[in-house]
Amino acid sequence: LGISPLNRIPGCFVGDVSPDSPAAKAKILPGDVVVRFDDKPVADFDELVLLIQDKQPGDKIKVEFLRGEEEDILFWQRLQTVKEPAAKAQLEKLHKRLAMEVELTLAEWGAK
């Protein structure tokens, strides 16, 4: 995919995007948080790697990620752990504002 994690928080927090990678071509940026890959939830970087391993170079994949201020992303992550209806409504509003979806084509491992 062409990204590496910055730290271990829910979702895959993008710390770096390799130039000319599928992620760069899809305009994924450092600071984005990948939350879905090929319609499957992503809990962390390791899970994203496992999901990618099942794919082949040239496969077209939908990737959902969040982009926003760091405070918004952290608030979104905290809201995921709250089970109250008011928190769920707030989470949905925040998700609509921060979520983006792109389609990208996977490259060979290690390829630009």
Side-chain angles (χ1 to χ4, degrees):
L1 186 60
I3 64 173
S4 60
L6 183 60
N7 57 22
R8 303 280 180 186
I9 57 176
C12 179
F13 191 88
V14 178
D16 185 42
V17 178
S18 301
D20 299 320
S21 67
K25 291 174 186 170
K27 308 238 186 293
I28 295 174
L29 300 173
D32 291 344
V33 179
V34 177
V35 294
R36 295 187 75 77
F37 177 86
D38 199 27
D39 293 323
K40 295 180 180 84
V42 174
D44 56 30
F45 182 74
D46 294 334
E47 187 171 329
L48 179 60
V49 170
L50 290 174
L51 292 170
I52 292 170
Q53 287 177 351
D54 291 337
K55 303 299 176 187
Q56 298 297 316
D59 285 353
K60 291 191 184 304
I61 304 299
K62 286 184 184 176
V63 176
E64 181 182 328
F65 59 95
L66 305 179
R67 177 174 295 158
E69 298 296 319
E70 184 177 352
E71 298 80 22
D72 287 338
I73 299 293
L74 293 173
F75 184 51
W76 179 85
Q77 291 166 333
R78 280 194 300 268
L79 280 175
Q80 288 184 305
T81 64
V82 179
K83 304 297 182 198
E84 297 174 16
K88 184 176 179 181
Q90 183 67 25
L91 179 61
E92 288 174 11
K93 284 182 189 177
L94 195 55
H95 183 262
K96 284 181 183 178
R97 184 161 59 87
L98 302 177
M100 303 178 82
E101 187 174 279
V102 293
E103 187 173 277
L104 54 80
T105 303
L106 295 179
E108 293 280 351
W109 284 103
K112 294 289 184 186

